Amino acid sequence: MRLLIEHGWQELSEVDVAVVQIRGIHFALYRLNTSLLKGTIVCVLKDTEDDEAAINTLLTALGIGPDAVTYRGNVRSGEAQ
């Protein structure tokens, strides 16, 4: 696992960002410091064949279950769960 932490990210204003690579999958975990939402947002940074499997890889690496996820959306397709 590789981990890179930043305190700003392009045009998202002030954020805390961790960029993680696990098994060749790149994730960005970030929290918008100016938002009322206090949850952590997770993005799969590169296209994968199976986004669901990618998220499961991250959850397994973090040792947390799928119940920790409160919202799932796909920016590319506009779908939400």
Side-chain angles (χ1 to χ4, degrees):
M1 178 167 74
R2 289 182 167 178
L3 175 64
L4 172 65
I5 299 176
E6 300 180 25
H7 295 288
W9 204 29
Q10 296 176 355
E11 298 174 8
L12 293 179
S13 70
E14 187 175 334
V15 296
D16 289 326
V17 178
V19 179
V20 180
Q21 178 183 352
I22 303 170
R23 296 186 182 162
I25 305 168
H26 295 82
F27 301 93
L29 294 83
Y30 62 95
R31 183 174 295 159
L32 301 170
N33 294 335
T34 57
S35 174
L36 295 176
L37 300 173
K38 298 302 176 193
T40 300
I41 300 167
V42 177
C43 295
V44 179
L45 293 179
K46 296 183 179 180
D47 286 341
T48 63
E49 292 181 19
D50 186 348
D51 289 339
E52 197 67 28
I55 294 299
N56 288 333
T57 296
L58 175 65
L59 294 175
T60 299
L62 296 175
I64 57 178
D67 57 322
V69 178
T70 58
Y71 172 83
R72 288 183 188 220
N74 186 322
V75 175
R76 290 173 289 210
S77 69
E79 295 177 12
Q81 297 178 354

